[in-house]
Amino acid sequence: MTKNFDVIIIGAGGVGSAAAYYLAKAKQRVLLLEQFNINHQKGSSYGYSRVIRYAYDNPIYVNLMRAAYPLWFALEKEAKETLYIKTGELDFGNINAPSLQQVADSMEREKIDYENLNAAKINQRFPQFNIPETMAGIYQEDTGILKASACILTHLKLAKNYGAIIQENSPVISINSNQEIVTLKTYQETYTSQSLIIAAGSWTKQILIPLGLNLPLTIMPCQLAFFEVQNPQQFMPGEFPIFLAHFVGEYGQFPYGLPPCGHQGLKLSTFYGWDTVEAINEVNYTPSLAWIEILRTFLNQYLPTANGELIETRRCLYTMTPDKHFIIDYHPNYNNILIAAGFSGHGFKFTNLVGKILTELITERKTQYNLSLFKIKRFL
Ligand SMILES: Cc1cc2nc3c(=O)[nH]c(=O)nc-3n(C[C@H](O)[C@H](O)[C@H](O)COP(=O)(O)OP(=O)(O)OC[C@H]3O[C@@H](n4cnc5c(N)ncnc54)[C@H](O)[C@@H]3O)c2cc1C
């Protein structure tokens, strides 16, 4: 096998797999190195489902989603696979909850259609909910589910078809760069390339320290759970929307849920509010059963018929930046190293677009997309 490449990518999660696809399609000679097996459960991207939505509190993300949606549809077409399931999304919270208003404002600004619903209308349209009249919601119909693991496997399959080399169980253990050539070592081999993409999720901080960059990334191991529902038909996509509750409880911040998609029961978690750790070796992957019981208080109150048996629960990692905005930028000292990390629990829907952007930044040294929120200089 050749050991010299145009681009080497570290990490076969959502971002690295999409980058491999777009780069290989752009005729770059690509090597993708993954430390574990493909589709492992220790990082951020494994699973049945991730939410794809326009409903963001910042118009920059809404605008980027305008580009990401058609890329997912194009991928489905090229691969002849169904990767997106339309469900619609209900955001609800106290009348005048600031974050709810911000989501409405940014969709308004970006001319994305949505509906305002009072509590009575929500309960009538979605009788699975029990929303008090002190609350209100907004509904956006394009929100849906991306079949997360299937998206990654599809990007990797097509990347291979375009000539990319994908190597699992190959941790990168050292990186050296002299501006023109990057040299990487795994336990078995030494590789060189003109460019490097570090898409290493929660491992990124440690990888960058020897390259003279200490980013303020932390790791948030969050937990998700699947609950049996009383009437499964009522909770299927089409009958039951993805929801995001704009409030905080003892169970965490912003509870959200998804209808079944490749899994049984209602998927439930909270968007934020989990303790963070500094380094990957501090992560505790063991789920808390105490939290499951606390989470049931949310179900009892708002979704009483979804408070059934626990089907499955596990932990998954967010790689957090202090402002929850991504990092997509060149290394400040090496213009042949790109870093794409810190997706702060909301990156999957953008991974295809990020792969395209990284490809443009390598092949054209510029991109048409607005990356102003994602610069490294905000931390220097
Ligand atoms: C429970 C949960 C729910 C989420 N829900 C949503 C959602 O609904 N919508 C949404 O948009 N986003 C969501 N996210 C966030 C989204 O999943 C992540 O932002 C995205 O998956 C990040 O992908 P990544 O490629 O950066 O990281 P990862 O998937 O972690 O990939 C990084 C890869 O790099 C590899 N690696 C690290 N170091 C090395 C090395 N030295 N050598 C080789 N390989 C290495 C790792 O093994 C890993 O496979 C959710 C995340 C979680 C955990």
Side-chain angles (χ1 to χ4, degrees), residues 10-11 13-15 33-36 40 43-45 50-51 171-172 199-201 203 207 256 316-318 343 345-349:
I10 303 180
V15 175
L33 295 168
E34 166 55 51
Q35 63 181 341
F36 301 126
H40 67 85
S44 302
S45 300
R50 293 292 186 278
V51 180
V172 172
W203 291 261
I207 290 179
Y256 70 89
C316 178
L317 307 183
Y318 289 175
F343 289 92
H346 61 110
F348 198 89
K349 63 185 82 57

PDB file of all heavy atoms in Angstrom, residues 10-11 13-15 33-36 40 43-45 50-51 171-172 199-201 203 207 256 316-318 343 345-349, ligand 1:
ATOM      1  N   ILE A  10      -7.882  11.962  10.571  1.00  0.00           N
ATOM      2  CA  ILE A  10      -7.897  11.200  11.830  1.00  0.00           C
ATOM      3  C   ILE A  10      -9.335  11.183  12.346  1.00  0.00           C
ATOM      4  O   ILE A  10      -9.901  12.227  12.657  1.00  0.00           O
ATOM      5  CB  ILE A  10      -6.978  11.825  12.896  1.00  0.00           C
ATOM      6  CG1 ILE A  10      -5.549  11.952  12.381  1.00  0.00           C
ATOM      7  CG2 ILE A  10      -7.015  10.992  14.186  1.00  0.00           C
ATOM      8  CD1 ILE A  10      -4.583  12.574  13.380  1.00  0.00           C
ATOM      9  N   GLY A  11      -9.921   9.981  12.430  1.00  0.00           N
ATOM     10  CA  GLY A  11     -11.249   9.834  13.017  1.00  0.00           C
ATOM     11  C   GLY A  11     -12.320   9.514  12.001  1.00  0.00           C
ATOM     12  O   GLY A  11     -12.552  10.281  11.075  1.00  0.00           O
ATOM     13  N   GLY A  13     -15.643   9.244  12.639  1.00  0.00           N
ATOM     14  CA  GLY A  13     -16.980   9.573  13.148  1.00  0.00           C
ATOM     15  C   GLY A  13     -17.767  10.268  12.046  1.00  0.00           C
ATOM     16  O   GLY A  13     -17.457  10.153  10.852  1.00  0.00           O
ATOM     17  N   GLY A  14     -18.789  11.010  12.460  1.00  0.00           N
ATOM     18  CA  GLY A  14     -19.621  11.716  11.475  1.00  0.00           C
ATOM     19  C   GLY A  14     -18.800  12.637  10.595  1.00  0.00           C
ATOM     20  O   GLY A  14     -18.964  12.651   9.357  1.00  0.00           O
ATOM     21  N   VAL A  15     -17.897  13.400  11.191  1.00  0.00           N
ATOM     22  CA  VAL A  15     -17.144  14.409  10.433  1.00  0.00           C
ATOM     23  C   VAL A  15     -16.106  13.751   9.523  1.00  0.00           C
ATOM     24  O   VAL A  15     -16.037  14.038   8.319  1.00  0.00           O
ATOM     25  CB  VAL A  15     -16.461  15.407  11.402  1.00  0.00           C
ATOM     26  CG1 VAL A  15     -15.582  16.381  10.636  1.00  0.00           C
ATOM     27  CG2 VAL A  15     -17.508  16.145  12.227  1.00  0.00           C
ATOM     28  N   LEU A  33      -7.841   7.224   9.124  1.00  0.00           N
ATOM     29  CA  LEU A  33      -7.375   6.342  10.194  1.00  0.00           C
ATOM     30  C   LEU A  33      -8.316   6.436  11.389  1.00  0.00           C
ATOM     31  O   LEU A  33      -8.574   7.536  11.901  1.00  0.00           O
ATOM     32  CB  LEU A  33      -5.957   6.739  10.622  1.00  0.00           C
ATOM     33  CG  LEU A  33      -4.877   6.548   9.558  1.00  0.00           C
ATOM     34  CD1 LEU A  33      -3.578   7.247   9.968  1.00  0.00           C
ATOM     35  CD2 LEU A  33      -4.619   5.060   9.312  1.00  0.00           C
ATOM     36  N   GLU A  34      -8.836   5.308  11.825  1.00  0.00           N
ATOM     37  CA  GLU A  34      -9.733   5.257  12.988  1.00  0.00           C
ATOM     38  C   GLU A  34      -9.088   4.371  14.059  1.00  0.00           C
ATOM     39  O   GLU A  34      -8.652   3.267  13.761  1.00  0.00           O
ATOM     40  CB  GLU A  34     -11.104   4.707  12.563  1.00  0.00           C
ATOM     41  CG  GLU A  34     -12.028   4.289  13.695  1.00  0.00           C
ATOM     42  CD  GLU A  34     -12.275   5.390  14.734  1.00  0.00           C
ATOM     43  OE1 GLU A  34     -12.633   6.515  14.365  1.00  0.00           O
ATOM     44  OE2 GLU A  34     -12.114   5.101  15.943  1.00  0.00           O
ATOM     45  N   GLN A  35      -9.072   4.872  15.293  1.00  0.00           N
ATOM     46  CA  GLN A  35      -8.378   4.130  16.351  1.00  0.00           C
ATOM     47  C   GLN A  35      -9.114   2.851  16.776  1.00  0.00           C
ATOM     48  O   GLN A  35      -8.481   1.883  17.196  1.00  0.00           O
ATOM     49  CB  GLN A  35      -8.154   5.015  17.571  1.00  0.00           C
ATOM     50  CG  GLN A  35      -9.437   5.494  18.240  1.00  0.00           C
ATOM     51  CD  GLN A  35      -9.198   6.394  19.442  1.00  0.00           C
ATOM     52  OE1 GLN A  35      -8.112   6.391  19.996  1.00  0.00           O
ATOM     53  NE2 GLN A  35     -10.194   7.163  19.839  1.00  0.00           N
ATOM     54  N   PHE A  36     -10.461   2.856  16.688  1.00  0.00           N
ATOM     55  CA  PHE A  36     -11.244   1.676  17.078  1.00  0.00           C
ATOM     56  C   PHE A  36     -11.837   1.040  15.817  1.00  0.00           C
ATOM     57  O   PHE A  36     -11.456   1.394  14.703  1.00  0.00           O
ATOM     58  CB  PHE A  36     -12.364   2.076  18.043  1.00  0.00           C
ATOM     59  CG  PHE A  36     -11.867   2.735  19.310  1.00  0.00           C
ATOM     60  CD1 PHE A  36     -12.349   3.985  19.705  1.00  0.00           C
ATOM     61  CD2 PHE A  36     -10.920   2.113  20.120  1.00  0.00           C
ATOM     62  CE1 PHE A  36     -11.899   4.599  20.869  1.00  0.00           C
ATOM     63  CE2 PHE A  36     -10.461   2.717  21.289  1.00  0.00           C
ATOM     64  CZ  PHE A  36     -10.950   3.975  21.664  1.00  0.00           C
ATOM     65  N   HIS A  40     -17.955   2.246  16.204  1.00  0.00           N
ATOM     66  CA  HIS A  40     -17.835   1.895  17.635  1.00  0.00           C
ATOM     67  C   HIS A  40     -18.710   2.834  18.473  1.00  0.00           C
ATOM     68  O   HIS A  40     -19.207   3.855  17.978  1.00  0.00           O
ATOM     69  CB  HIS A  40     -16.369   1.992  18.071  1.00  0.00           C
ATOM     70  CG  HIS A  40     -15.846   3.401  18.054  1.00  0.00           C
ATOM     71  ND1 HIS A  40     -16.006   4.272  19.101  1.00  0.00           N
ATOM     72  CD2 HIS A  40     -15.201   4.107  17.095  1.00  0.00           C
ATOM     73  CE1 HIS A  40     -15.469   5.444  18.795  1.00  0.00           C
ATOM     74  NE2 HIS A  40     -14.977   5.371  17.573  1.00  0.00           N
ATOM     75  N   GLY A  43     -17.435   7.083  21.006  1.00  0.00           N
ATOM     76  CA  GLY A  43     -17.338   8.503  20.659  1.00  0.00           C
ATOM     77  C   GLY A  43     -18.691   9.191  20.669  1.00  0.00           C
ATOM     78  O   GLY A  43     -19.506   8.967  21.575  1.00  0.00           O
ATOM     79  N   SER A  44     -18.942  10.003  19.626  1.00  0.00           N
ATOM     80  CA  SER A  44     -20.147  10.850  19.596  1.00  0.00           C
ATOM     81  C   SER A  44     -21.166  10.445  18.543  1.00  0.00           C
ATOM     82  O   SER A  44     -22.297  10.924  18.589  1.00  0.00           O
ATOM     83  CB  SER A  44     -19.743  12.296  19.289  1.00  0.00           C
ATOM     84  OG  SER A  44     -18.835  12.779  20.230  1.00  0.00           O
ATOM     85  N   SER A  45     -20.776   9.613  17.582  1.00  0.00           N
ATOM     86  CA  SER A  45     -21.618   9.505  16.377  1.00  0.00           C
ATOM     87  C   SER A  45     -22.427   8.231  16.241  1.00  0.00           C
ATOM     88  O   SER A  45     -23.281   8.136  15.367  1.00  0.00           O
ATOM     89  CB  SER A  45     -20.747   9.642  15.122  1.00  0.00           C
ATOM     90  OG  SER A  45     -20.087  10.872  15.100  1.00  0.00           O
ATOM     91  N   ARG A  50     -30.096  10.853  14.884  1.00  0.00           N
ATOM     92  CA  ARG A  50     -29.738  12.206  15.298  1.00  0.00           C
ATOM     93  C   ARG A  50     -30.767  13.145  14.660  1.00  0.00           C
ATOM     94  O   ARG A  50     -31.246  12.893  13.554  1.00  0.00           O
ATOM     95  CB  ARG A  50     -28.343  12.609  14.791  1.00  0.00           C
ATOM     96  CG  ARG A  50     -27.184  11.843  15.406  1.00  0.00           C
ATOM     97  CD  ARG A  50     -26.991  12.166  16.874  1.00  0.00           C
ATOM     98  NE  ARG A  50     -25.793  11.553  17.437  1.00  0.00           N
ATOM     99  CZ  ARG A  50     -25.712  10.288  17.873  1.00  0.00           C
ATOM    100  NH1 ARG A  50     -26.767   9.489  17.797  1.00  0.00           N
ATOM    101  NH2 ARG A  50     -24.589   9.833  18.384  1.00  0.00           N
ATOM    102  N   VAL A  51     -31.050  14.228  15.372  1.00  0.00           N
ATOM    103  CA  VAL A  51     -32.046  15.184  14.875  1.00  0.00           C
ATOM    104  C   VAL A  51     -31.424  16.089  13.817  1.00  0.00           C
ATOM    105  O   VAL A  51     -30.297  16.569  13.984  1.00  0.00           O
ATOM    106  CB  VAL A  51     -32.570  16.060  16.037  1.00  0.00           C
ATOM    107  CG1 VAL A  51     -33.605  17.063  15.518  1.00  0.00           C
ATOM    108  CG2 VAL A  51     -33.151  15.196  17.141  1.00  0.00           C
ATOM    109  N   PRO A 171      -4.831   3.567  15.689  1.00  0.00           N
ATOM    110  CA  PRO A 171      -4.682   4.856  16.374  1.00  0.00           C
ATOM    111  C   PRO A 171      -3.448   5.615  15.887  1.00  0.00           C
ATOM    112  O   PRO A 171      -2.373   5.015  15.725  1.00  0.00           O
ATOM    113  CB  PRO A 171      -4.550   4.481  17.854  1.00  0.00           C
ATOM    114  CG  PRO A 171      -4.271   3.017  17.900  1.00  0.00           C
ATOM    115  CD  PRO A 171      -4.753   2.416  16.616  1.00  0.00           C
ATOM    116  N   VAL A 172      -3.612   6.894  15.655  1.00  0.00           N
ATOM    117  CA  VAL A 172      -2.468   7.744  15.311  1.00  0.00           C
ATOM    118  C   VAL A 172      -1.761   8.082  16.616  1.00  0.00           C
ATOM    119  O   VAL A 172      -2.385   8.608  17.548  1.00  0.00           O
ATOM    120  CB  VAL A 172      -2.954   9.026  14.600  1.00  0.00           C
ATOM    121  CG1 VAL A 172      -1.796  10.002  14.404  1.00  0.00           C
ATOM    122  CG2 VAL A 172      -3.597   8.670  13.274  1.00  0.00           C
ATOM    123  N   ALA A 199     -10.215  15.154  12.972  1.00  0.00           N
ATOM    124  CA  ALA A 199     -11.669  15.076  13.237  1.00  0.00           C
ATOM    125  C   ALA A 199     -11.854  14.023  14.324  1.00  0.00           C
ATOM    126  O   ALA A 199     -12.571  13.047  14.151  1.00  0.00           O
ATOM    127  CB  ALA A 199     -12.426  14.700  11.958  1.00  0.00           C
ATOM    128  N   ALA A 200     -11.164  14.258  15.440  1.00  0.00           N
ATOM    129  CA  ALA A 200     -10.999  13.210  16.445  1.00  0.00           C
ATOM    130  C   ALA A 200     -11.924  13.366  17.643  1.00  0.00           C
ATOM    131  O   ALA A 200     -11.680  12.789  18.703  1.00  0.00           O
ATOM    132  CB  ALA A 200      -9.537  13.174  16.894  1.00  0.00           C
ATOM    133  N   GLY A 201     -12.997  14.144  17.499  1.00  0.00           N
ATOM    134  CA  GLY A 201     -14.025  14.238  18.541  1.00  0.00           C
ATOM    135  C   GLY A 201     -13.415  14.538  19.901  1.00  0.00           C
ATOM    136  O   GLY A 201     -12.621  15.470  20.063  1.00  0.00           O
ATOM    137  N   TRP A 203     -11.169  13.211  21.526  1.00  0.00           N
ATOM    138  CA  TRP A 203      -9.733  12.955  21.654  1.00  0.00           C
ATOM    139  C   TRP A 203      -8.920  14.125  21.087  1.00  0.00           C
ATOM    140  O   TRP A 203      -7.690  14.138  21.162  1.00  0.00           O
ATOM    141  CB  TRP A 203      -9.352  11.656  20.921  1.00  0.00           C
ATOM    142  CG  TRP A 203      -9.881  10.412  21.572  1.00  0.00           C
ATOM    143  CD1 TRP A 203      -9.188   9.573  22.404  1.00  0.00           C
ATOM    144  CD2 TRP A 203     -11.203   9.860  21.462  1.00  0.00           C
ATOM    145  NE1 TRP A 203     -10.014   8.554  22.813  1.00  0.00           N
ATOM    146  CE2 TRP A 203     -11.247   8.702  22.253  1.00  0.00           C
ATOM    147  CE3 TRP A 203     -12.361  10.244  20.789  1.00  0.00           C
ATOM    148  CZ2 TRP A 203     -12.399   7.910  22.380  1.00  0.00           C
ATOM    149  CZ3 TRP A 203     -13.520   9.466  20.920  1.00  0.00           C
ATOM    150  CH2 TRP A 203     -13.527   8.316  21.705  1.00  0.00           C
ATOM    151  N   ILE A 207      -4.684  15.263  21.211  1.00  0.00           N
ATOM    152  CA  ILE A 207      -3.900  15.143  19.971  1.00  0.00           C
ATOM    153  C   ILE A 207      -3.204  16.464  19.656  1.00  0.00           C
ATOM    154  O   ILE A 207      -2.085  16.487  19.141  1.00  0.00           O
ATOM    155  CB  ILE A 207      -4.828  14.727  18.798  1.00  0.00           C
ATOM    156  CG1 ILE A 207      -5.281  13.282  19.000  1.00  0.00           C
ATOM    157  CG2 ILE A 207      -4.131  14.889  17.449  1.00  0.00           C
ATOM    158  CD1 ILE A 207      -6.230  12.775  17.919  1.00  0.00           C
ATOM    159  N   TYR A 256     -35.446  16.356  25.509  1.00  0.00           N
ATOM    160  CA  TYR A 256     -35.912  16.193  24.129  1.00  0.00           C
ATOM    161  C   TYR A 256     -36.215  14.722  23.870  1.00  0.00           C
ATOM    162  O   TYR A 256     -35.728  13.844  24.589  1.00  0.00           O
ATOM    163  CB  TYR A 256     -34.884  16.735  23.114  1.00  0.00           C
ATOM    164  CG  TYR A 256     -33.620  15.916  23.016  1.00  0.00           C
ATOM    165  CD1 TYR A 256     -33.518  14.847  22.122  1.00  0.00           C
ATOM    166  CD2 TYR A 256     -32.520  16.207  23.817  1.00  0.00           C
ATOM    167  CE1 TYR A 256     -32.357  14.086  22.028  1.00  0.00           C
ATOM    168  CE2 TYR A 256     -31.356  15.454  23.736  1.00  0.00           C
ATOM    169  CZ  TYR A 256     -31.279  14.399  22.841  1.00  0.00           C
ATOM    170  OH  TYR A 256     -30.138  13.647  22.767  1.00  0.00           O
ATOM    171  N   CYS A 316     -23.041   8.650  25.734  1.00  0.00           N
ATOM    172  CA  CYS A 316     -22.457   9.071  24.458  1.00  0.00           C
ATOM    173  C   CYS A 316     -21.773  10.406  24.744  1.00  0.00           C
ATOM    174  O   CYS A 316     -22.191  11.133  25.644  1.00  0.00           O
ATOM    175  CB  CYS A 316     -23.605   9.226  23.464  1.00  0.00           C
ATOM    176  SG  CYS A 316     -23.157   9.799  21.838  1.00  0.00           S
ATOM    177  N   LEU A 317     -20.719  10.725  24.020  1.00  0.00           N
ATOM    178  CA  LEU A 317     -19.909  11.896  24.390  1.00  0.00           C
ATOM    179  C   LEU A 317     -20.216  13.133  23.541  1.00  0.00           C
ATOM    180  O   LEU A 317     -20.275  13.058  22.319  1.00  0.00           O
ATOM    181  CB  LEU A 317     -18.415  11.559  24.219  1.00  0.00           C
ATOM    182  CG  LEU A 317     -17.917  10.293  24.928  1.00  0.00           C
ATOM    183  CD1 LEU A 317     -16.407  10.150  24.731  1.00  0.00           C
ATOM    184  CD2 LEU A 317     -18.273  10.298  26.404  1.00  0.00           C
ATOM    185  N   TYR A 318     -20.373  14.262  24.207  1.00  0.00           N
ATOM    186  CA  TYR A 318     -20.333  15.559  23.532  1.00  0.00           C
ATOM    187  C   TYR A 318     -18.908  16.098  23.705  1.00  0.00           C
ATOM    188  O   TYR A 318     -18.338  15.981  24.797  1.00  0.00           O
ATOM    189  CB  TYR A 318     -21.223  16.590  24.208  1.00  0.00           C
ATOM    190  CG  TYR A 318     -22.711  16.465  24.100  1.00  0.00           C
ATOM    191  CD1 TYR A 318     -23.512  17.353  24.819  1.00  0.00           C
ATOM    192  CD2 TYR A 318     -23.347  15.520  23.305  1.00  0.00           C
ATOM    193  CE1 TYR A 318     -24.900  17.298  24.757  1.00  0.00           C
ATOM    194  CE2 TYR A 318     -24.739  15.465  23.237  1.00  0.00           C
ATOM    195  CZ  TYR A 318     -25.509  16.351  23.966  1.00  0.00           C
ATOM    196  OH  TYR A 318     -26.883  16.306  23.907  1.00  0.00           O
ATOM    197  N   PHE A 343     -18.061  19.889  18.494  1.00  0.00           N
ATOM    198  CA  PHE A 343     -19.407  20.025  17.917  1.00  0.00           C
ATOM    199  C   PHE A 343     -20.505  20.109  18.988  1.00  0.00           C
ATOM    200  O   PHE A 343     -21.683  20.234  18.663  1.00  0.00           O
ATOM    201  CB  PHE A 343     -19.652  18.940  16.862  1.00  0.00           C
ATOM    202  CG  PHE A 343     -18.841  19.204  15.621  1.00  0.00           C
ATOM    203  CD1 PHE A 343     -17.581  18.665  15.455  1.00  0.00           C
ATOM    204  CD2 PHE A 343     -19.312  20.076  14.664  1.00  0.00           C
ATOM    205  CE1 PHE A 343     -16.806  18.962  14.344  1.00  0.00           C
ATOM    206  CE2 PHE A 343     -18.546  20.388  13.545  1.00  0.00           C
ATOM    207  CZ  PHE A 343     -17.288  19.826  13.389  1.00  0.00           C
ATOM    208  N   GLY A 345     -22.479  18.690  20.948  1.00  0.00           N
ATOM    209  CA  GLY A 345     -23.770  18.002  21.066  1.00  0.00           C
ATOM    210  C   GLY A 345     -24.785  18.340  19.998  1.00  0.00           C
ATOM    211  O   GLY A 345     -25.932  17.894  20.062  1.00  0.00           O
ATOM    212  N   HIS A 346     -24.384  19.144  18.985  1.00  0.00           N
ATOM    213  CA  HIS A 346     -25.367  19.454  17.934  1.00  0.00           C
ATOM    214  C   HIS A 346     -24.759  19.407  16.534  1.00  0.00           C
ATOM    215  O   HIS A 346     -25.252  20.042  15.598  1.00  0.00           O
ATOM    216  CB  HIS A 346     -26.054  20.807  18.196  1.00  0.00           C
ATOM    217  CG  HIS A 346     -25.137  22.006  18.224  1.00  0.00           C
ATOM    218  ND1 HIS A 346     -25.159  22.958  17.240  1.00  0.00           N
ATOM    219  CD2 HIS A 346     -24.201  22.403  19.107  1.00  0.00           C
ATOM    220  CE1 HIS A 346     -24.269  23.902  17.525  1.00  0.00           C
ATOM    221  NE2 HIS A 346     -23.674  23.589  18.654  1.00  0.00           N
ATOM    222  N   GLY A 347     -23.709  18.601  16.359  1.00  0.00           N
ATOM    223  CA  GLY A 347     -22.983  18.654  15.099  1.00  0.00           C
ATOM    224  C   GLY A 347     -23.394  17.675  14.024  1.00  0.00           C
ATOM    225  O   GLY A 347     -23.040  17.860  12.857  1.00  0.00           O
ATOM    226  N   PHE A 348     -24.132  16.609  14.385  1.00  0.00           N
ATOM    227  CA  PHE A 348     -24.281  15.548  13.389  1.00  0.00           C
ATOM    228  C   PHE A 348     -24.950  16.036  12.112  1.00  0.00           C
ATOM    229  O   PHE A 348     -24.538  15.689  10.997  1.00  0.00           O
ATOM    230  CB  PHE A 348     -25.048  14.338  13.947  1.00  0.00           C
ATOM    231  CG  PHE A 348     -24.829  13.132  13.115  1.00  0.00           C
ATOM    232  CD1 PHE A 348     -23.772  12.277  13.368  1.00  0.00           C
ATOM    233  CD2 PHE A 348     -25.613  12.873  11.988  1.00  0.00           C
ATOM    234  CE1 PHE A 348     -23.508  11.189  12.550  1.00  0.00           C
ATOM    235  CE2 PHE A 348     -25.358  11.791  11.166  1.00  0.00           C
ATOM    236  CZ  PHE A 348     -24.307  10.947  11.445  1.00  0.00           C
ATOM    237  N   LYS A 349     -26.006  16.820  12.262  1.00  0.00           N
ATOM    238  CA  LYS A 349     -26.770  17.294  11.094  1.00  0.00           C
ATOM    239  C   LYS A 349     -25.901  18.064  10.113  1.00  0.00           C
ATOM    240  O   LYS A 349     -26.235  18.179   8.944  1.00  0.00           O
ATOM    241  CB  LYS A 349     -27.957  18.145  11.558  1.00  0.00           C
ATOM    242  CG  LYS A 349     -27.546  19.409  12.284  1.00  0.00           C
ATOM    243  CD  LYS A 349     -28.729  20.190  12.850  1.00  0.00           C
ATOM    244  CE  LYS A 349     -29.221  19.671  14.167  1.00  0.00           C
ATOM    245  NZ  LYS A 349     -28.235  19.606  15.261  1.00  0.00           N
TER     246      LYS A 349
HETATM  247  C1  LIG B   1     -26.477  11.242  22.778  1.00  0.00           C
HETATM  248  C2  LIG B   1     -26.128  12.215  21.698  1.00  0.00           C
HETATM  249  C3  LIG B   1     -27.146  12.779  20.965  1.00  0.00           C
HETATM  250  C4  LIG B   1     -26.862  13.695  19.953  1.00  0.00           C
HETATM  251  N1  LIG B   1     -27.892  14.192  19.235  1.00  0.00           N
HETATM  252  C5  LIG B   1     -27.629  14.981  18.174  1.00  0.00           C
HETATM  253  C6  LIG B   1     -28.693  15.384  17.336  1.00  0.00           C
HETATM  254  O1  LIG B   1     -29.843  15.024  17.561  1.00  0.00           O
HETATM  255  N2  LIG B   1     -28.396  16.160  16.251  1.00  0.00           N
HETATM  256  C7  LIG B   1     -27.115  16.556  15.966  1.00  0.00           C
HETATM  257  O2  LIG B   1     -26.922  17.267  14.991  1.00  0.00           O
HETATM  258  N3  LIG B   1     -26.091  16.164  16.757  1.00  0.00           N
HETATM  259  C8  LIG B   1     -26.311  15.385  17.837  1.00  0.00           C
HETATM  260  N4  LIG B   1     -25.296  14.966  18.631  1.00  0.00           N
HETATM  261  C9  LIG B   1     -23.940  15.438  18.357  1.00  0.00           C
HETATM  262  C10 LIG B   1     -23.291  14.693  17.233  1.00  0.00           C
HETATM  263  O3  LIG B   1     -23.552  13.325  17.331  1.00  0.00           O
HETATM  264  C11 LIG B   1     -21.797  15.008  17.262  1.00  0.00           C
HETATM  265  O4  LIG B   1     -21.627  16.421  17.182  1.00  0.00           O
HETATM  266  C12 LIG B   1     -21.058  14.365  16.099  1.00  0.00           C
HETATM  267  O5  LIG B   1     -21.376  12.995  16.054  1.00  0.00           O
HETATM  268  C13 LIG B   1     -19.565  14.564  16.302  1.00  0.00           C
HETATM  269  O6  LIG B   1     -18.851  13.752  15.379  1.00  0.00           O
HETATM  270  P1  LIG B   1     -17.274  13.723  15.356  1.00  0.00           P
HETATM  271  O7  LIG B   1     -16.895  13.066  14.086  1.00  0.00           O
HETATM  272  O8  LIG B   1     -16.742  15.085  15.661  1.00  0.00           O
HETATM  273  O9  LIG B   1     -16.833  12.845  16.634  1.00  0.00           O
HETATM  274  P2  LIG B   1     -16.762  11.261  16.817  1.00  0.00           P
HETATM  275  O10 LIG B   1     -17.949  10.613  16.264  1.00  0.00           O
HETATM  276  O11 LIG B   1     -16.459  10.991  18.252  1.00  0.00           O
HETATM  277  O12 LIG B   1     -15.540  10.832  15.918  1.00  0.00           O
HETATM  278  C14 LIG B   1     -14.202  11.028  16.269  1.00  0.00           C
HETATM  279  C15 LIG B   1     -13.437   9.775  15.916  1.00  0.00           C
HETATM  280  O13 LIG B   1     -12.049  10.000  16.016  1.00  0.00           O
HETATM  281  C16 LIG B   1     -11.448   8.793  16.422  1.00  0.00           C
HETATM  282  N5  LIG B   1     -10.103   9.081  16.951  1.00  0.00           N
HETATM  283  C17 LIG B   1      -9.813   9.843  18.021  1.00  0.00           C
HETATM  284  N6  LIG B   1      -8.471   9.875  18.223  1.00  0.00           N
HETATM  285  C18 LIG B   1      -7.904   9.113  17.263  1.00  0.00           C
HETATM  286  C19 LIG B   1      -6.566   8.744  16.946  1.00  0.00           C
HETATM  287  N7  LIG B   1      -5.521   9.170  17.687  1.00  0.00           N
HETATM  288  N8  LIG B   1      -6.351   7.937  15.889  1.00  0.00           N
HETATM  289  C20 LIG B   1      -7.392   7.509  15.126  1.00  0.00           C
HETATM  290  N9  LIG B   1      -8.687   7.807  15.399  1.00  0.00           N
HETATM  291  C21 LIG B   1      -8.933   8.598  16.443  1.00  0.00           C
HETATM  292  C22 LIG B   1     -12.418   8.305  17.498  1.00  0.00           C
HETATM  293  O14 LIG B   1     -12.248   6.969  17.822  1.00  0.00           O
HETATM  294  C23 LIG B   1     -13.746   8.621  16.860  1.00  0.00           C
HETATM  295  O15 LIG B   1     -14.257   7.525  16.115  1.00  0.00           O
HETATM  296  C24 LIG B   1     -25.526  14.052  19.670  1.00  0.00           C
HETATM  297  C25 LIG B   1     -24.487  13.478  20.401  1.00  0.00           C
HETATM  298  C26 LIG B   1     -24.779  12.570  21.401  1.00  0.00           C
HETATM  299  C27 LIG B   1     -23.645  11.973  22.172  1.00  0.00           C
END
